[in-house]
């Protein structure tokens, strides 16, 4: 069960909110933990067991790191044990090891702890902060369990001190609840209408024989994949943020319209902000502090982005995607003189990100290079009848997706809120919301295409 499933939208979410509201204040943390447990159990009992094991191991690792703080070796060993455990869990579920375990222990093929990548970063960051004496460990097991398992935080990374402040200062107002539902609904539309549709376009292109694919189809398919990735990840994160608001938690945003940026640097810093911040805090900054050499710092920056690529996809493709993003951001200042206008900056960034995305989407490194060859005109076919067919059915939603992936619509709403159109928006918004909710419900019942992308995270 994910946020975009009908069971969650029309069953689990309203019931959990009702239970939370009628629960006495002193028992609300317990109710949140139990509801989170039910959420993971509805995915599978193994998911719940996995979450509990990770919670206990990291809870006691944090306590041991703090207990041996005056004995650096023992404290470092405790840190190492916790991080090694977390990395082993990450590698188990992000490599073929899980498939081997399925055969040995008869584990269901449907089992996968959704959000494993976010959970591991959360846990490692918590242990490192304790080891570096930035904070004390949480002695209350219930509060720590909520930090690890709170279901609205499944695709969100926040430091424990931030989460602790939110946990102890929950203020639920009608305005916050309304805003939460608005953010949740926006994320639902992003994921279901834009993300799933772009995934359908991408799979339609991918089904074409690579050596018969036209130049235009190759670029169309990769554009669809990039938009799909953006709308699915930002949509599911928005849903989590919206749910958090309904429970009194204000989680930070994770995307800030990165796709059609004017610079690669803007793309890099506005793409999955919480993840980028985590690697900057725990990888880039510590390594850069070792020396002040500029070349070394650039190498560290590229290395960190390579690690981000492995976090997304633990293979050579993921590594190369991250490496290329980091390399282009580093080299960008030497290329800036070639971008004289804002429009040329958008085109330049679009071309680079699309080329990089080829490696994130390909089945393997050979497949990615073959696809890239087609994008460069290797088949000597500019367009064909399939191109016309795809444009006929997807051009409208493609153009709308490209438009809504920028900040233009948000800016228009901001400006209209200060004019006479404000009253019109107030009248039309509820009607549009109902129509889009019905459409999302129909599409979820029919498809749910991008769940496979979420299972990889």
């Amino acid at each position: 069960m994910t946020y975009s499933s009908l069971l969650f939208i029309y069953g689990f979410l309203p019931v959990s909110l009702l239970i939370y509201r009628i629960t006495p204040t002193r028992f609300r943390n317990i109710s949140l933990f139990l509801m989170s447990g039910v959420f993971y159990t509805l995915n599978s009992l193994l998911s719940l067991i996995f979450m509990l094991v990770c919670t206990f191991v990291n809870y006691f690792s944090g306590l041991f790191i703090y207990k041996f703080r005056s004995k650096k070796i023992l404290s470092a060993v405790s840190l190492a044990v916790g991080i090694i455990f977390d990395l082993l869990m990450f590698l188990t579920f992000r490599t073929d090891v899980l498939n081997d375990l399925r055969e040995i222990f008869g584990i269901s093929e449907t089992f996968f702890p959704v959000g494993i990548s976010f959970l591991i970063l959360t846990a490692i960051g918590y242990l490192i902060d304790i080891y570096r004496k930035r904070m004390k460990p949480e002695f209350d097991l219930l509060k720590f369990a909520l930090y690890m398992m709170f279901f609205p935080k499944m695709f969100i990374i926040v430091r424990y001190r931030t989460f602790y402040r939110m946990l102890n200062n929950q203020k639920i107002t009608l305005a916050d609840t309304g805003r939460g539902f608005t953010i949740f609904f926006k994320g639902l539309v992003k994921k279901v209408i834009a993300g799933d549709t772009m995934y359908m376009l991408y799979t339609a292109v991918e089904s074409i024989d690579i050596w018969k694919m036209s130049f235009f189809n190759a670029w169309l398919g990769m554009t669809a994949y990039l938009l799909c990735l953006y709308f699915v990840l930002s949509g599911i994160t928005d849903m989590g943020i919206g749910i958090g608001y309904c429970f009194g938690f204000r989680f930070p945003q994770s995307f800030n319209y990165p796709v059609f940026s004017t610079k690669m640097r803007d793309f890099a810093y506005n793409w999955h902000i919480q993840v980028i911040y985590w690697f900057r805090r725990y990888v880039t900054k510590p390594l850069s502090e070792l020396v002040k050499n500029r070349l070394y710092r650039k190498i560290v920056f590229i290395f960190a982005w390579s690690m981000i690529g492995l976090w997304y996809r633990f293979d050579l493709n993921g590594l190369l995607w991250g490496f290329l993003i980091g390399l282009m951001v580093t080299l960008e200042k030497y290329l800036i003189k070639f971008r004289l206008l804002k429009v040329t900056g958008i085109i330049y960034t679009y071309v680079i990100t699309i080329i990089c995305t080829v490696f994130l989407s390909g089945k393997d490194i050979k497949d990615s290079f073959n696809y890239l060859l087609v994008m460069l005109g290797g088949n000597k076919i500019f367009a064909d009848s399939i191109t016309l067919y795809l444009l006929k059915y997807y051009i409208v939603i493609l153009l709308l997706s490209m438009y809504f992936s920028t900040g233009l619509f948000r800016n228009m709403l901001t400006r209209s809120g200060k004019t006479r159109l404000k009253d019109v928006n107030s009248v039309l918004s509820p009607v549009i919301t109902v129509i889009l909710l019905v459409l999302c419900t129909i599409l979820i019942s029919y498809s749910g295409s991008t769940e496979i992308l979420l299972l990889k995270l």
Side-chain angles (χ1 to χ4, degrees):
M1 180 178 69
T2 59
Y3 302 150
S4 57
S5 67
L6 296 181
L7 175 60
F8 182 86
I9 297 169
Y10 294 108
F12 183 83
L13 180 58
V15 170
S16 62
L17 285 173
L18 177 62
I19 293 174
Y20 184 74
R21 291 299 178 90
I22 64 176
T23 301
T25 303
R26 59 177 177 168
F27 297 119
R28 282 186 169 179
N29 286 349
I30 296 177
S31 70
L32 287 178
F33 172 74
L34 293 176
M35 285 185 288
S36 296
V38 172
F39 175 83
Y40 289 106
T41 303
L42 289 174
N43 283 306
S44 73
L45 182 59
L46 284 175
S47 293
L48 175 63
I49 294 173
F50 170 80
M51 294 298 295
L52 290 173
V53 170
C54 282
T55 297
F56 279 110
V57 171
N58 283 282
Y59 171 75
F60 286 108
S61 293
L63 293 182
F64 284 125
I65 292 171
Y66 181 73
K67 180 179 180 181
F68 298 123
R69 60 190 182 280
S70 59
K71 302 176 182 179
K72 291 186 177 181
I73 295 179
L74 291 178
S75 182
V77 169
S78 300
L79 173 66
V81 169
I83 291 180
I84 290 173
F85 170 83
D86 291 329
L87 291 177
L88 285 176
M89 291 297 100
F90 176 82
L91 294 176
T92 297
F93 292 102
R94 296 300 298 276
T95 63
D96 293 333
V97 174
L98 179 59
N99 294 328
D100 297 334
L101 292 177
R102 292 186 197 279
E103 296 180 3
I104 296 173
F105 297 102
I107 300 174
S108 171
E109 293 185 0
T110 60
F111 167 65
F112 193 96
V114 180
I116 173 66
S117 301
F118 296 86
L119 177 71
I120 295 307
L121 292 189
T122 295
I124 292 176
Y126 171 80
L127 297 179
I128 293 175
D129 282 346
I130 296 173
Y131 179 77
R132 301 191 70 175
K133 299 179 181 180
R134 293 171 177 165
M135 55 171 278
K136 294 181 179 180
E138 176 53 69
F139 295 96
D140 189 327
L141 180 57
L142 176 61
K143 290 183 178 179
F144 180 74
L146 272 178
Y147 176 60
M148 295 286 285
M149 297 177 58
F150 190 36
F151 68 92
K153 201 180 72 64
M154 184 166 61
F155 296 100
I156 296 172
I157 302 172
V158 293
R159 296 177 64 197
Y160 184 75
R161 289 198 299 185
T162 303
F163 182 81
Y164 181 82
R165 286 195 296 268
M166 289 188 285
L167 187 64
N168 291 307
N169 295 281
Q170 298 176 50
K171 295 180 181 179
I172 307 174
T173 65
L174 188 60
D176 283 340
T177 302
R179 184 178 182 186
F181 277 116
T182 300
I183 297 173
F184 176 85
F185 177 73
K186 181 181 73 172
L188 181 67
V189 171
K190 277 185 177 182
K191 192 271 177 188
V192 175
I193 295 181
D196 284 6
T197 306
M198 287 299 97
Y199 187 72
M200 291 171 65
L201 174 56
Y202 165 70
T203 53
V205 172
E206 190 186 34
S207 64
I208 304 172
D209 186 335
I210 189 68
W211 302 119
K212 296 179 180 179
M213 186 182 297
S214 69
F215 168 86
F216 192 91
N217 287 343
W219 281 89
L220 183 64
M222 207 44 54
T223 300
Y225 185 86
L226 178 61
L227 289 171
C228 165
L229 197 63
Y230 165 71
F231 281 114
V232 169
L233 293 179
S234 65
I236 208 74
T237 304
D238 284 348
M239 282 188 267
I241 293 171
I243 300 166
Y245 264 91
C246 295
F247 287 101
F249 293 79
R250 298 188 177 188
F251 296 123
Q253 72 178 79
S254 194
F255 289 83
N256 188 26
Y257 303 103
V259 178
F260 292 99
S261 302
T262 58
K263 294 184 292 186
M264 280 301 298
R265 185 178 185 86
D266 291 340
F267 172 86
Y269 284 101
N270 291 319
W271 177 270
H272 231 156
I273 298 169
Q274 297 163 13
V275 175
I276 304 305
Y277 176 80
W278 190 97
F279 279 92
R280 188 190 312 165
R281 182 178 182 82
Y282 297 107
V283 178
T284 308
K285 189 176 179 180
L287 292 178
S288 297
E289 288 175 348
L290 295 177
V291 293
K292 295 183 179 181
N293 183 278
R294 289 186 177 181
L295 177 61
Y296 175 82
R297 290 188 172 186
K298 291 176 181 178
I299 294 173
V300 168
F301 179 82
I302 296 173
F303 169 77
W305 262 98
S306 300
M307 295 301 100
I308 293 172
L310 286 176
W311 178 82
Y312 272 101
R313 176 173 172 169
F314 196 79
D315 59 13
L316 185 58
N317 281 57
L319 179 68
L320 190 52
W321 174 79
F323 172 80
L324 289 174
I325 295 289
L327 179 65
M328 291 309 302
V329 173
T330 303
L331 297 177
E332 186 172 60
K333 68 177 183 178
Y334 303 108
L335 304 173
I336 197 168
K337 60 182 179 180
F338 296 106
R339 295 182 290 112
L340 304 178
L341 302 173
K342 196 170 185 178
V343 174
T344 61
I346 293 175
I347 295 173
Y348 145 82
T349 304
Y350 165 75
V351 171
I352 296 300
T353 52
I354 289 296
I355 291 175
C356 293
T357 303
V358 171
F359 297 99
L360 198 60
S361 65
K363 296 177 183 178
D364 51 45
I365 198 70
K366 181 181 179 181
D367 180 70
S368 297
F369 276 110
N370 287 339
Y371 195 100
L372 186 59
L373 180 64
V374 176
M375 289 178 64
L376 297 176
N379 286 344
K380 299 180 181 180
I381 307 172
F382 179 75
D384 53 23
S385 59
I386 298 177
T387 305
L388 297 177
Y389 174 83
L390 293 175
L391 289 177
K392 177 182 177 181
Y393 285 97
Y394 289 101
I395 186 62
V396 174
I397 188 64
L398 176 64
L399 292 176
L400 286 174
S401 297
M402 293 173 70
Y403 173 72
F404 286 110
S405 67
T406 70
L408 294 175
F409 181 71
R410 178 190 59 180
N411 296 337
M412 184 191 73
L413 290 180
T414 302
R415 289 194 298 269
S416 65
K418 300 176 182 179
T419 66
R420 295 178 181 178
L421 292 176
K422 182 178 181 179
D423 294 334
V424 177
N425 289 338
S426 300
V427 174
L428 291 180
S429 292
V431 178
I432 296 174
T433 299
V434 171
I435 293 173
L436 289 176
L437 180 60
V438 172
L439 180 59
C440 286
T441 302
I442 295 172
L443 291 174
I444 293 171
S445 302
Y446 174 74
S447 176
S449 307
T450 54
E451 302 305 322
I452 188 172
L453 293 179
L454 297 179
L455 288 178
K456 294 179 180 180
L457 295 173

